[in-house]
Amino acid sequence: MRGIYKPTYRVKRVWGISAQALKDRGITTVLADLDNTLVAWNRPEGDKDFFVWHEKLLDAKINLIVVSNNSTKRVKRAVKALGVPFESWAFKPFPRGIKKTLRDFDLSKDEVIMIGDQIMTDVAASNLAGIRSVLVRPLTVTDSLPTRINRTFAKLITKNNKGKWEDDLVDPK
Ligand SMILES: [Mg+2]
């Protein structure tokens, strides 16, 4: 059971994930959660850090797709500022949103990685879909109530499953 909550990588800051590290691992497309992973909960217009990081991915010919549990309306509005394609209503931790993204964008499991700030949704959905994942620390500490509840459960689940937080992707030994 605990296996589905184990991320492939743990990285302190999402912006620390380098295009080179992704390339070295055969990644052509990054799937990413939206809230608190790419945009701060209280800054929906996106941070300068996002645009700098995204530019580096594009330079390396790595695509970014937002995979969010939020409604189409909400995600559409958010990604408009970011300029990236998206999949809404992903229903993470269920793998269907990720699987649908792979179908819609004609991608194979081994060329993608999912980045997210929540073990209970982002990491679990990745493992159930059979793709690699990166757990990042949330951009802001303030969160909506359901997210706060999820994090409390996540703490219990990961009590014996703590890993080291790295600056970039570091392969597990
Ligand atoms: Mg999130």
Side-chain angles (χ1 to χ4, degrees):
M1 189 63 184
R2 194 162 277 145
I4 76 161
Y5 297 117
K6 198 171 165 19
T8 319
Y9 302 102
R10 278 170 209 266
V11 177
K12 289 177 202 161
R13 300 180 71 241
V14 63
W15 322 125
I17 302 168
S18 69
Q20 191 58 52
L22 292 165
K23 253 189 143 161
D24 290 348
R25 287 159 183 82
I27 306 296
T28 66
T29 305
V30 168
L31 314 182
D33 170 55
L34 183 64
D35 293 302
N36 265 333
T37 296
L38 294 184
V39 295
W41 193 63
N42 51 355
R43 293 199 60 188
E45 75 282 5
D47 221 281
K48 186 171 170 276
D49 290 333
F50 168 81
F51 296 98
V52 172
W53 180 74
H54 189 210
E55 194 73 31
K56 285 184 196 153
L57 294 192
L58 293 177
D59 282 349
K61 305 220 169 357
I62 296 169
N63 297 310
L64 176 65
I65 303 169
V66 163
V67 180
S68 173
N69 276 359
N70 255 304
S71 69
T72 307
K73 201 178 155 195
R74 156 86 180 86
V75 181
K76 205 176 207 168
R77 203 168 46 210
V79 300
K80 210 175 160 193
L82 308 181
V84 291
F86 69 94
E87 201 75 54
S88 52
W89 298 118
F91 294 102
K92 296 171 284 183
F94 298 101
R96 62 180 256 192
I98 290 175
K99 286 183 173 168
K100 184 171 182 296
T101 309
L102 299 184
R103 278 197 309 275
D104 288 354
F105 293 85
D106 195 23
L107 297 161
S108 67
K109 287 180 184 177
D110 54 359
E111 63 176 312
V112 303
I113 198 162
M114 173 85 205
I115 303 176
D117 68 308
Q118 286 199 73
I119 285 177
M120 305 280 293
T121 53
D122 305 313
V123 171
S126 304
N127 284 327
L128 292 171
I131 66 164
R132 288 172 282 178
S133 61
V134 189
L135 180 68
V136 293
R137 292 198 290 214
L139 286 181
T140 47
V141 216
T142 350
D143 247 328
S144 62
L145 184 63
T147 303
R148 283 212 303 272
I149 292 168
N150 265 352
R151 285 194 208 289
T152 308
F153 279 112
K155 262 185 208 151
L156 297 174
I157 287 162
T158 54
K159 235 165 69 178
N160 302 312
N161 177 18
K162 277 196 188 115
K164 204 174 149 224
W165 292 96
E166 308 283 357
D167 294 315
D168 195 350
L169 303 185
V170 175
D171 288 308
K173 286 188 193 100

Coordinates of all heavy atoms in Angstrom, one line a residue, residues 56-147:
K56 N 13.6 27.7 -19.9 CA 14.7 26.7 -19.9 C 14.3 25.4 -20.4 O 15.0 24.7 -21.2 CB 15.4 26.6 -18.5 CG 16.2 27.8 -18.1 CD 16.9 27.5 -16.8 CE 17.4 28.8 -16.2 NZ 17.5 28.7 -14.7
L57 N 13.1 25.0 -20.0 CA 12.5 23.7 -20.5 C 12.3 23.8 -22.0 O 12.7 22.9 -22.8 CB 11.2 23.4 -19.8 CG 11.2 23.1 -18.4 CD1 9.8 22.5 -18.0 CD2 12.2 22.1 -17.9
L58 N 11.7 24.9 -22.5 CA 11.4 25.0 -23.9 C 12.7 25.1 -24.7 O 12.8 24.5 -25.8 CB 10.6 26.3 -24.1 CG 9.2 26.3 -23.6 CD1 8.5 27.6 -23.8 CD2 8.3 25.1 -24.2
D59 N 13.7 25.7 -24.2 CA 15.0 25.7 -24.9 C 15.6 24.3 -25.1 O 16.3 24.1 -26.1 CB 16.0 26.6 -24.1 CG 15.8 28.1 -24.2 OD1 15.0 28.5 -25.1 OD2 16.4 28.8 -23.5
A60 N 15.3 23.5 -24.1 CA 15.8 22.1 -24.2 C 14.8 21.2 -24.9 O 14.9 20.0 -24.9 CB 16.0 21.6 -22.8
K61 N 13.7 21.8 -25.5 CA 12.7 21.1 -26.2 C 11.9 20.1 -25.3 O 11.5 19.0 -25.7 CB 13.3 20.3 -27.4 CG 14.0 21.2 -28.4 CD 13.8 20.8 -29.8 CE 14.3 21.8 -30.9 NZ 14.9 23.0 -30.4
I62 N 11.7 20.5 -24.1 CA 10.9 19.8 -23.2 C 9.6 20.5 -23.0 O 9.5 21.7 -22.7 CB 11.6 19.6 -21.8 CG1 12.9 18.8 -22.0 CG2 10.7 18.9 -20.8 CD1 13.8 18.8 -20.7
N63 N 8.5 19.8 -23.2 CA 7.1 20.4 -23.1 C 6.6 20.3 -21.7 O 7.0 19.4 -21.0 CB 6.2 19.7 -24.1 CG 6.6 19.8 -25.5 OD1 6.9 20.9 -26.0 ND2 6.7 18.7 -26.2
L64 N 5.7 21.2 -21.4 CA 5.1 21.2 -20.1 C 3.6 21.1 -20.3 O 3.0 21.9 -21.1 CB 5.5 22.5 -19.3 CG 4.8 22.7 -18.0 CD1 5.3 21.7 -17.0 CD2 5.2 24.1 -17.5
I65 N 2.9 20.3 -19.5 CA 1.5 20.2 -19.6 C 1.0 20.2 -18.1 O 1.5 19.4 -17.3 CB 1.0 18.9 -20.2 CG1 1.5 18.7 -21.7 CG2 -0.6 18.8 -20.2 CD1 1.3 17.4 -22.3
V66 N 0.0 21.0 -17.8 CA -0.6 21.1 -16.5 C -1.6 20.0 -16.4 O -2.5 19.9 -17.3 CB -1.2 22.5 -16.2 CG1 -2.2 22.4 -15.1 CG2 -0.1 23.5 -16.0
V67 N -1.6 19.2 -15.3 CA -2.6 18.2 -15.1 C -3.2 18.5 -13.7 O -2.5 18.3 -12.7 CB -2.0 16.8 -15.1 CG1 -3.0 15.7 -14.8 CG2 -1.3 16.5 -16.4
S68 N -4.4 19.0 -13.7 CA -4.9 19.5 -12.5 C -6.3 18.9 -12.1 O -7.0 18.5 -13.0 CB -5.1 21.0 -12.6 OG -5.8 21.6 -11.5
N69 N -6.6 18.8 -10.9 CA -7.9 18.3 -10.4 C -8.9 19.4 -10.5 O -10.1 19.1 -10.3 CB -7.8 17.8 -9.0 CG -7.3 16.4 -8.9 OD1 -7.0 15.8 -9.9 ND2 -7.1 15.9 -7.7
N70 N -8.5 20.6 -10.7 CA -9.5 21.7 -10.7 C -10.4 21.7 -12.0 O -10.1 21.0 -12.9 CB -8.7 23.0 -10.7 CG -8.8 23.6 -9.3 OD1 -9.9 23.9 -8.8 ND2 -7.7 23.9 -8.6
S71 N -11.4 22.5 -11.9 CA -12.3 22.6 -13.0 C -11.7 23.2 -14.3 O -10.7 23.9 -14.2 CB -13.5 23.4 -12.6 OG -13.1 24.8 -12.5
T72 N -12.3 22.9 -15.4 CA -11.8 23.4 -16.7 C -11.7 25.0 -16.6 O -10.7 25.6 -17.1 CB -12.7 23.0 -17.8 OG1 -12.8 21.6 -17.8 CG2 -12.1 23.4 -19.2
K73 N -12.8 25.6 -16.1 CA -12.9 27.0 -16.0 C -11.7 27.6 -15.2 O -11.0 28.5 -15.7 CB -14.2 27.4 -15.4 CG -14.7 28.8 -15.7 CD -16.0 29.1 -15.0 CE -16.2 30.6 -14.8 NZ -17.3 30.8 -13.9
R74 N -11.5 27.0 -14.1 CA -10.4 27.5 -13.2 C -9.0 27.3 -13.8 O -8.2 28.2 -13.8 CB -10.5 26.8 -11.8 CG -9.3 26.7 -11.0 CD -9.1 27.9 -10.1 NE -7.9 27.8 -9.3 CZ -6.7 28.1 -9.7 NH1 -6.5 28.6 -10.9 NH2 -5.7 28.0 -8.9
V75 N -8.8 26.1 -14.4 CA -7.5 25.8 -14.9 C -7.2 26.6 -16.2 O -6.1 27.2 -16.3 CB -7.3 24.3 -15.2 CG1 -5.9 24.0 -15.8 CG2 -7.6 23.5 -14.0
K76 N -8.2 26.8 -17.0 CA -8.1 27.6 -18.2 C -7.6 29.0 -17.9 O -6.7 29.6 -18.5 CB -9.4 27.6 -18.9 CG -9.3 27.8 -20.4 CD -10.7 27.8 -21.0 CE -10.7 27.3 -22.5 NZ -12.0 27.0 -23.0
R77 N -8.3 29.6 -16.9 CA -8.0 30.9 -16.5 C -6.5 31.0 -15.9 O -5.8 31.9 -16.3 CB -8.9 31.4 -15.4 CG -9.0 32.9 -15.3 CD -10.2 33.3 -14.4 NE -10.2 32.5 -13.2 CZ -11.4 32.2 -12.5 NH1 -12.5 32.6 -12.9 NH2 -11.3 31.5 -11.4
A78 N -6.1 30.0 -15.2 CA -4.8 30.0 -14.6 C -3.7 29.8 -15.6 O -2.7 30.5 -15.6 CB -4.7 28.9 -13.5
V79 N -3.9 28.9 -16.6 CA -2.8 28.6 -17.5 C -2.8 29.7 -18.6 O -1.8 29.7 -19.3 CB -2.9 27.2 -18.2 CG1 -2.8 26.1 -17.1 CG2 -4.2 27.1 -19.0
K80 N -3.8 30.5 -18.7 CA -3.8 31.5 -19.7 C -2.6 32.4 -19.5 O -1.9 32.8 -20.4 CB -5.1 32.4 -19.6 CG -5.5 33.0 -20.9 CD -6.8 33.7 -20.8 CE -6.9 34.6 -22.0 NZ -8.0 35.6 -21.8
A81 N -2.3 32.7 -18.2 CA -1.2 33.6 -17.8 C 0.1 32.8 -18.0 O 1.2 33.4 -18.3 CB -1.3 34.0 -16.4
L82 N 0.1 31.5 -18.0 CA 1.3 30.7 -18.1 C 1.6 30.3 -19.5 O 2.8 30.0 -19.8 CB 1.3 29.5 -17.2 CG 0.9 29.7 -15.7 CD1 0.9 28.3 -15.0 CD2 1.8 30.6 -15.0
G83 N 0.6 30.2 -20.3 CA 0.8 29.8 -21.7 C 1.2 28.3 -21.9 O 2.1 28.0 -22.7
V84 N 0.5 27.4 -21.2 CA 0.8 26.0 -21.3 C -0.5 25.2 -21.5 O -1.5 25.6 -21.0 CB 1.6 25.4 -20.1 CG1 3.0 25.9 -20.0 CG2 0.8 25.6 -18.8
P85 N -0.4 24.1 -22.3 CA -1.6 23.3 -22.4 C -2.0 22.6 -21.1 O -1.1 22.5 -20.2 CB -1.2 22.2 -23.4 CG 0.3 22.2 -23.4 CD 0.7 23.5 -23.0
F86 N -3.2 22.1 -21.0 CA -3.6 21.5 -19.7 C -4.6 20.4 -19.9 O -5.3 20.3 -20.9 CB -4.2 22.6 -18.8 CG -5.5 23.1 -19.3 CD1 -6.7 22.6 -18.8 CD2 -5.6 24.1 -20.3 CE1 -8.0 23.0 -19.3 CE2 -6.8 24.6 -20.7 CZ -8.0 24.0 -20.3
E87 N -4.7 19.6 -18.8 CA -5.8 18.6 -18.7 C -6.4 19.0 -17.3 O -5.7 19.1 -16.3 CB -5.1 17.3 -18.6 CG -6.0 16.1 -18.9 CD -6.3 15.9 -20.4 OE1 -5.3 15.9 -21.2 OE2 -7.5 15.9 -20.7
S88 N -7.7 19.2 -17.3 CA -8.4 19.5 -16.1 C -9.2 18.3 -15.6 O -9.2 17.3 -16.3 CB -9.4 20.7 -16.3 OG -10.2 20.5 -17.4
W89 N -9.9 18.4 -14.5 CA -10.7 17.3 -13.9 C -9.9 16.0 -13.9 O -10.4 15.0 -14.4 CB -12.0 17.1 -14.7 CG -13.0 18.2 -14.7 CD1 -13.4 18.9 -15.8 CD2 -13.7 18.8 -13.6 NE1 -14.3 19.9 -15.4 CE2 -14.5 19.9 -14.1 CE3 -13.7 18.5 -12.2 CZ2 -15.3 20.6 -13.3 CZ3 -14.5 19.3 -11.4 CH2 -15.3 20.3 -11.9
A90 N -8.7 16.1 -13.4 CA -7.8 14.9 -13.5 C -8.1 13.8 -12.6 O -7.7 12.6 -12.7 CB -6.3 15.3 -13.4
F91 N -8.9 14.1 -11.5 CA -9.3 13.1 -10.5 C -8.1 12.4 -9.9 O -8.2 11.2 -9.6 CB -10.3 12.1 -11.1 CG -11.6 12.8 -11.4 CD1 -12.0 13.1 -12.7 CD2 -12.5 13.1 -10.4 CE1 -13.2 13.7 -13.0 CE2 -13.7 13.8 -10.6 CZ -14.0 14.1 -12.0
K92 N -7.0 13.1 -9.7 CA -5.9 12.4 -8.9 C -6.4 12.2 -7.5 O -7.1 13.1 -7.0 CB -4.7 13.4 -8.9 CG -4.0 13.7 -10.2 CD -3.0 14.8 -10.2 CE -3.6 16.1 -10.0 NZ -2.6 17.2 -10.0
P93 N -6.2 11.1 -6.8 CA -5.2 10.1 -7.1 C -5.5 9.0 -8.1 O -4.7 8.1 -8.3 CB -5.1 9.4 -5.7 CG -6.4 9.5 -5.1 CD -6.9 10.9 -5.6
F94 N -6.7 9.1 -8.7 CA -7.0 8.1 -9.8 C -6.1 8.4 -11.0 O -5.8 9.6 -11.3 CB -8.5 8.1 -10.2 CG -9.3 7.8 -9.0 CD1 -10.0 8.8 -8.3 CD2 -9.5 6.5 -8.6 CE1 -10.8 8.4 -7.2 CE2 -10.3 6.1 -7.5 CZ -10.9 7.1 -6.8
P95 N -5.7 7.4 -11.7 CA -4.7 7.6 -12.8 C -5.3 8.1 -14.1 O -4.6 8.4 -15.0 CB -4.1 6.2 -12.9 CG -5.1 5.2 -12.5 CD -5.9 5.9 -11.4
R96 N -6.7 8.2 -14.1 CA -7.3 8.4 -15.4 C -6.9 9.8 -16.1 O -6.8 9.8 -17.3 CB -8.8 8.3 -15.3 CG -9.4 9.4 -14.4 CD -10.9 9.2 -14.3 NE -11.6 10.2 -15.1 CZ -12.9 10.4 -15.1 NH1 -13.7 9.7 -14.4 NH2 -13.4 11.4 -15.8
G97 N -6.7 10.8 -15.3 CA -6.3 12.1 -15.8 C -4.9 12.0 -16.5 O -4.7 12.6 -17.6
I98 N -4.0 11.3 -15.9 CA -2.7 11.2 -16.4 C -2.7 10.3 -17.7 O -2.2 10.6 -18.7 CB -1.7 10.6 -15.4 CG1 -1.4 11.6 -14.3 CG2 -0.4 10.1 -16.0 CD1 -0.6 11.0 -13.1
K99 N -3.5 9.2 -17.6 CA -3.6 8.3 -18.7 C -4.3 9.0 -19.9 O -3.9 8.8 -21.1 CB -4.4 7.1 -18.4 CG -3.6 6.1 -17.5 CD -4.4 4.9 -17.2 CE -3.6 3.8 -16.5 NZ -4.4 2.7 -15.9
K100 N -5.2 9.9 -19.6 CA -5.9 10.6 -20.7 C -4.9 11.6 -21.3 O -4.9 11.8 -22.5 CB -7.1 11.4 -20.1 CG -7.9 12.1 -21.2 CD -9.3 12.6 -20.6 CE -10.1 13.3 -21.7 NZ -9.5 14.5 -22.2
T101 N -4.1 12.2 -20.5 CA -3.1 13.2 -21.0 C -2.1 12.4 -22.0 O -1.8 13.0 -23.0 CB -2.3 13.8 -19.9 OG1 -3.2 14.3 -18.9 CG2 -1.4 14.9 -20.3
L102 N -1.7 11.2 -21.6 CA -0.8 10.5 -22.4 C -1.5 10.2 -23.8 O -0.8 10.3 -24.8 CB -0.4 9.2 -21.7 CG 0.4 9.3 -20.4 CD1 0.8 7.9 -19.9 CD2 1.6 10.2 -20.5
R103 N -2.7 9.8 -23.7 CA -3.5 9.5 -25.0 C -3.6 10.8 -25.8 O -3.3 10.8 -27.0 CB -4.9 9.0 -24.7 CG -4.9 7.5 -24.4 CD -6.3 6.9 -24.5 NE -7.3 7.7 -23.8 CZ -7.6 7.5 -22.5 NH1 -6.9 6.6 -21.8 NH2 -8.5 8.2 -21.9
D104 N -4.1 11.9 -25.2 CA -4.4 13.1 -25.9 C -3.2 13.7 -26.6 O -3.3 14.3 -27.6 CB -5.0 14.2 -24.9 CG -6.4 13.8 -24.5 OD1 -7.0 12.8 -25.0 OD2 -7.0 14.5 -23.6
F105 N -2.0 13.6 -25.9 CA -0.8 14.2 -26.4 C 0.1 13.2 -27.1 O 1.3 13.5 -27.4 CB -0.1 15.0 -25.3 CG -0.8 16.2 -24.9 CD1 -1.8 16.1 -23.9 CD2 -0.6 17.4 -25.4 CE1 -2.5 17.2 -23.5 CE2 -1.3 18.6 -25.0 CZ -2.3 18.5 -24.0
D106 N -0.4 11.9 -27.2 CA 0.4 10.8 -27.8 C 1.8 10.6 -27.2 O 2.8 10.7 -27.9 CB 0.5 11.1 -29.4 CG 0.9 9.9 -30.1 OD1 0.7 8.8 -29.6 OD2 1.5 10.0 -31.2
L107 N 1.8 10.4 -25.9 CA 3.0 10.2 -25.2 C 3.1 8.8 -24.6 O 2.1 8.2 -24.3 CB 3.1 11.3 -24.0 CG 3.1 12.7 -24.4 CD1 2.6 13.6 -23.2 CD2 4.4 13.1 -24.9
S108 N 4.4 8.4 -24.4 CA 4.5 7.1 -23.8 C 4.9 7.3 -22.3 O 5.4 8.3 -22.0 CB 5.6 6.2 -24.5 OG 6.8 6.8 -24.4
K109 N 4.7 6.3 -21.5 CA 4.9 6.4 -20.1 C 6.3 6.8 -19.7 O 6.6 7.4 -18.7 CB 4.5 5.1 -19.4 CG 3.1 4.8 -19.3 CD 2.8 3.5 -18.6 CE 1.3 3.2 -18.6 NZ 1.1 1.9 -18.0
D110 N 7.3 6.2 -20.5 CA 8.7 6.4 -20.1 C 9.3 7.8 -20.5 O 10.4 8.0 -20.2 CB 9.5 5.2 -20.6 CG 9.4 5.0 -22.1 OD1 8.6 5.7 -22.7 OD2 10.0 4.1 -22.6
E111 N 8.5 8.6 -21.2 CA 9.1 9.9 -21.6 C 8.5 11.0 -20.8 O 8.7 12.2 -21.1 CB 8.9 10.1 -23.1 CG 7.4 10.2 -23.6 CD 7.2 10.5 -25.0 OE1 7.9 11.5 -25.5 OE2 6.4 9.8 -25.7
V112 N 7.7 10.7 -19.8 CA 7.0 11.7 -19.0 C 7.4 11.6 -17.6 O 7.8 10.5 -17.1 CB 5.5 11.8 -19.2 CG1 5.1 11.9 -20.6 CG2 4.9 10.5 -18.6
I113 N 7.2 12.7 -16.8 CA 7.3 12.6 -15.4 C 6.3 13.6 -14.8 O 6.0 14.6 -15.5 CB 8.8 13.0 -15.0 CG1 9.1 12.6 -13.5 CG2 9.0 14.5 -15.1 CD1 10.6 12.5 -13.2
M114 N 5.7 13.3 -13.7 CA 4.7 14.1 -13.1 C 5.3 14.8 -11.9 O 5.9 14.2 -11.0 CB 3.5 13.3 -12.6 CG 2.5 14.0 -11.8 SD 1.3 14.8 -12.8 CE 0.7 16.1 -11.7
I115 N 5.2 16.2 -11.8 CA 5.7 16.9 -10.7 C 4.5 17.4 -9.9 O 3.5 18.0 -10.5 CB 6.5 18.2 -11.2 CG1 7.6 17.8 -12.1 CG2 7.0 19.0 -10.0 CD1 8.4 18.9 -12.7
G116 N 4.5 17.3 -8.6 CA 3.4 17.8 -7.8 C 3.9 17.9 -6.3 O 4.9 17.4 -5.9
D117 N 3.0 18.7 -5.6 CA 3.3 18.9 -4.2 C 2.6 18.1 -3.2 O 2.8 18.2 -2.0 CB 3.1 20.4 -3.8 CG 1.6 20.7 -3.9 OD1 0.9 20.4 -4.9 OD2 1.1 21.3 -2.9
Q118 N 1.8 17.2 -3.7 CA 1.0 16.3 -2.8 C 1.2 14.8 -3.0 O 0.9 14.3 -4.2 CB -0.5 16.7 -2.9 CG -0.8 18.0 -2.2 CD -2.3 18.1 -2.0 OE1 -2.8 17.4 -1.1 NE2 -3.0 18.9 -2.7
I119 N 1.6 14.1 -2.0 CA 1.7 12.7 -2.1 C 0.4 12.0 -2.3 O 0.3 11.1 -3.2 CB 2.3 12.2 -0.7 CG1 3.8 12.6 -0.6 CG2 2.2 10.7 -0.6 CD1 4.5 12.2 0.6
M120 N -0.6 12.4 -1.6 CA -1.9 11.7 -1.7 C -2.6 11.8 -3.1 O -3.4 11.0 -3.4 CB -2.9 12.4 -0.7 CG -2.5 12.4 0.7 SD -2.7 10.9 1.5 CE -4.5 10.8 1.6
T121 N -2.3 12.9 -3.8 CA -2.9 13.0 -5.1 C -1.9 12.8 -6.2 O -1.9 11.9 -7.0 CB -3.6 14.4 -5.3 OG1 -2.7 15.4 -5.0 CG2 -4.8 14.5 -4.4
D122 N -0.9 13.7 -6.3 CA 0.1 13.7 -7.4 C 0.9 12.5 -7.5 O 1.1 11.9 -8.6 CB 1.0 15.0 -7.3 CG 0.1 16.2 -7.3 OD1 -0.8 16.4 -8.1 OD2 0.4 17.1 -6.4
V123 N 1.5 12.1 -6.4 CA 2.4 10.9 -6.3 C 1.6 9.6 -6.5 O 2.0 8.8 -7.3 CB 3.3 10.9 -5.1 CG1 4.0 9.6 -4.9 CG2 4.2 12.1 -5.0
A124 N 0.5 9.5 -5.8 CA -0.3 8.3 -5.9 C -0.8 8.1 -7.3 O -0.7 7.0 -7.9 CB -1.5 8.4 -4.9
A125 N -1.3 9.2 -8.0 CA -1.8 9.1 -9.3 C -0.7 8.7 -10.3 O -0.9 7.8 -11.2 CB -2.4 10.4 -9.8
S126 N 0.5 9.2 -10.1 CA 1.7 8.8 -11.0 C 2.0 7.4 -10.8 O 2.2 6.7 -11.8 CB 2.9 9.6 -10.6 OG 2.6 11.0 -10.6
N127 N 2.1 6.9 -9.6 CA 2.4 5.5 -9.4 C 1.3 4.6 -10.0 O 1.6 3.5 -10.6 CB 2.6 5.2 -7.9 CG 4.0 5.7 -7.4 OD1 4.9 5.7 -8.2 ND2 4.0 6.2 -6.2
L128 N 0.1 4.9 -9.8 CA -1.0 4.1 -10.3 C -1.0 4.1 -11.9 O -1.5 3.2 -12.5 CB -2.4 4.6 -9.8 CG -2.6 4.3 -8.3 CD1 -3.8 5.0 -7.7 CD2 -2.6 2.8 -8.0
A129 N -0.6 5.2 -12.4 CA -0.5 5.3 -13.9 C 0.8 4.7 -14.5 O 0.9 4.6 -15.7 CB -0.6 6.8 -14.3
G130 N 1.7 4.4 -13.6 CA 2.9 3.8 -14.0 C 4.0 4.7 -14.6 O 4.8 4.3 -15.4
I131 N 4.0 5.9 -14.1 CA 5.0 6.9 -14.5 C 5.8 7.4 -13.3 O 5.4 7.3 -12.2 CB 4.3 8.1 -15.3 CG1 3.5 9.0 -14.3 CG2 3.5 7.7 -16.5 CD1 3.2 10.4 -14.9
R132 N 7.0 8.0 -13.6 CA 7.8 8.5 -12.6 C 7.2 9.8 -12.0 O 6.4 10.5 -12.7 CB 9.2 8.8 -13.2 CG 10.0 7.5 -13.5 CD 11.3 7.8 -14.2 NE 11.0 8.1 -15.6 CZ 12.0 8.4 -16.5 NH1 13.2 8.5 -16.1 NH2 11.7 8.6 -17.8
S133 N 7.7 10.2 -10.8 CA 7.1 11.4 -10.2 C 8.2 12.1 -9.4 O 9.2 11.6 -9.0 CB 6.0 11.0 -9.2 OG 6.5 10.2 -8.2
V134 N 7.9 13.4 -9.3 CA 8.8 14.3 -8.4 C 7.9 14.9 -7.4 O 6.9 15.6 -7.8 CB 9.5 15.4 -9.2 CG1 10.5 16.1 -8.3 CG2 10.1 14.9 -10.5
L135 N 8.2 14.7 -6.1 CA 7.5 15.4 -5.1 C 8.3 16.7 -4.8 O 9.5 16.7 -4.6 CB 7.4 14.6 -3.8 CG 6.7 15.2 -2.6 CD1 5.2 15.4 -2.9 CD2 6.9 14.4 -1.4
V136 N 7.6 17.8 -4.9 CA 8.3 19.1 -4.5 C 7.6 19.7 -3.3 O 6.4 19.4 -3.0 CB 8.2 20.1 -5.7 CG1 9.1 19.6 -6.9 CG2 6.8 20.4 -6.1
R137 N 8.3 20.6 -2.6 CA 7.7 21.3 -1.5 C 6.7 22.3 -2.0 O 7.0 23.0 -3.0 CB 8.7 21.9 -0.6 CG 9.6 20.8 0.1 CD 10.3 21.3 1.3 NE 11.4 22.2 0.9 CZ 12.5 22.2 1.6 NH1 12.8 21.4 2.6 NH2 13.5 23.1 1.2
P138 N 5.5 22.5 -1.4 CA 4.6 23.5 -1.8 C 5.1 24.9 -1.9 O 6.0 25.2 -1.0 CB 3.4 23.3 -0.8 CG 4.0 22.6 0.3 CD 5.1 21.8 -0.2
L139 N 4.7 25.7 -2.9 CA 5.2 27.0 -3.0 C 4.8 27.9 -1.8 O 5.5 28.8 -1.5 CB 4.7 27.6 -4.3 CG 5.3 27.2 -5.6 CD1 4.7 27.9 -6.8 CD2 6.8 27.3 -5.6
T140 N 3.6 27.7 -1.3 CA 3.2 28.5 -0.1 C 2.7 27.5 1.0 O 2.3 26.4 0.7 CB 2.0 29.4 -0.4 OG1 1.0 28.7 -1.2 CG2 2.5 30.6 -1.2
V141 N 2.7 28.0 2.2 CA 2.3 27.2 3.3 C 0.8 27.3 3.5 O 0.2 26.3 3.9 CB 3.1 27.7 4.6 CG1 3.4 26.4 5.4 CG2 4.3 28.4 4.3
T142 N 0.3 28.4 3.2 CA -1.2 28.6 3.4 C -1.9 27.7 2.3 O -1.5 27.7 1.2 CB -1.6 30.0 3.2 OG1 -0.5 30.9 3.1 CG2 -2.6 30.5 4.2
D143 N -2.9 27.1 2.7 CA -3.6 26.2 1.8 C -5.1 26.1 2.1 O -5.5 26.5 3.1 CB -3.0 24.8 2.0 CG -2.2 24.3 0.9 OD1 -2.6 24.6 -0.3 OD2 -1.3 23.5 1.1
S144 N -5.8 25.6 1.1 CA -7.2 25.4 1.3 C -7.4 24.3 2.3 O -6.5 23.4 2.5 CB -7.9 25.0 0.0 OG -7.3 23.8 -0.5
L145 N -8.6 24.2 2.9 CA -8.9 23.2 3.9 C -8.7 21.8 3.5 O -8.0 21.0 4.1 CB -10.2 23.4 4.6 CG -10.6 22.5 5.7 CD1 -9.6 22.7 6.9 CD2 -12.0 22.7 6.2
P146 N -9.3 21.4 2.3 CA -9.1 20.0 1.9 C -7.6 19.6 1.7 O -7.2 18.5 2.0 CB -9.8 19.9 0.5 CG -10.6 21.1 0.4 CD -10.1 22.1 1.4
T147 N -6.8 20.6 1.2 CA -5.4 20.3 1.0 C -4.7 20.1 2.4 O -3.9 19.3 2.6 CB -4.8 21.4 0.2 OG1 -5.5 21.5 -1.0 CG2 -3.3 21.2 -0.1

